[in-house]
Amino acid sequence: TRWLSCSPRVKWKRSICSDSLASSEEPSIRMAAFGRAREALICVIGDEDTVTGFLLAGVGEVDAKKTSNFLVVNPKTSVQTIEDAFKTFTQRDDVAVVLITQTVAETIRHLLDEYSAMIPTILEIPSKENAYDPTKDSIMVRIMKKMSVGDS
């Protein structure tokens, strides 16, 4: 019996994932349209429970240089450390999405408000203790303004 699992990267292959996920149009080719011809990662910044969940789902990666694509934030984590991780993740050319819990996003709101690139895409997600509030999500607020929905 052959074990099938998905790579932590966003590239799907028959040898990596089940045949139903493979297609004639490789996602890496579609990614090239966004200027990323290689595989792309999902990065996570959040509390221990959130990051652990994504790591168990296969999102985590640590390369040979001991560079990871995640940051576990706890009460002792400095704002500078969070800012540095955000800047590093958004400047990497192998990252497609950065997931950040909304409570952590509040600590670096100024960076999120300044961020305007489409890729990597920044998504604010709820944490175990705090529900998602779309009025605090700067990306969602910008989308609502563009669509003329909600408060302006």
Side-chain angles (χ1 to χ4, degrees):
T1 303
R2 177 174 83 146
W3 290 94
L4 294 175
S5 64
C6 290
S7 166
R9 293 185 176 255
V10 181
K11 185 175 181 182
W12 301 105
K13 289 186 177 178
R14 264 183 230 284
S15 61
I16 295 174
C17 294
S18 69
D19 290 343
S20 63
L21 294 175
S23 70
S24 60
E25 183 183 0
E26 289 279 337
S28 59
I29 294 170
R30 288 186 301 229
M31 294 290 290
F34 293 108
R36 306 210 187 273
R38 294 181 288 159
E39 300 172 348
L41 292 171
I42 297 172
C43 293
V44 184
I45 303 173
D47 59 89
E48 185 174 12
D49 290 338
T50 302
V51 173
T52 300
F54 279 99
L55 293 179
L56 289 171
V59 170
E61 179 172 289
V62 179
D63 64 14
K65 296 178 186 175
K66 305 284 186 204
T67 305
S68 67
N69 66 328
F70 57 91
L71 174 68
V72 176
V73 178
N74 59 44
K76 295 180 182 178
T77 306
S78 69
V79 174
Q80 186 62 46
T81 302
I82 299 167
E83 288 177 350
D84 291 345
F86 178 80
K87 290 175 185 176
T88 300
F89 293 159
T90 55
Q91 292 171 357
R92 286 176 57 174
D93 65 349
D94 63 341
V95 174
V97 178
V98 177
L99 301 174
I100 183 168
T101 57
Q102 201 164 47
T103 51
V104 174
E106 286 298 315
T107 63
I108 60 166
R109 181 61 59 200
H110 61 283
L111 290 177
L112 295 172
D113 290 342
E114 293 172 2
Y115 186 79
S116 62
M118 182 175 282
I119 296 181
T121 301
I122 310 302
L123 296 174
E124 291 185 31
I125 59 175
S127 63
K128 185 177 177 182
E129 287 83 26
N130 300 78
Y132 175 75
D133 182 0
T135 62
K136 293 182 180 178
D137 186 340
S138 57
I139 307 291
M140 186 60 78
V141 169
R142 275 191 253 160
I143 291 170
M144 297 291 238
K145 284 183 182 177
K146 294 266 186 198
M147 294 176 56
S148 299
V149 177
D151 297 331
S152 296

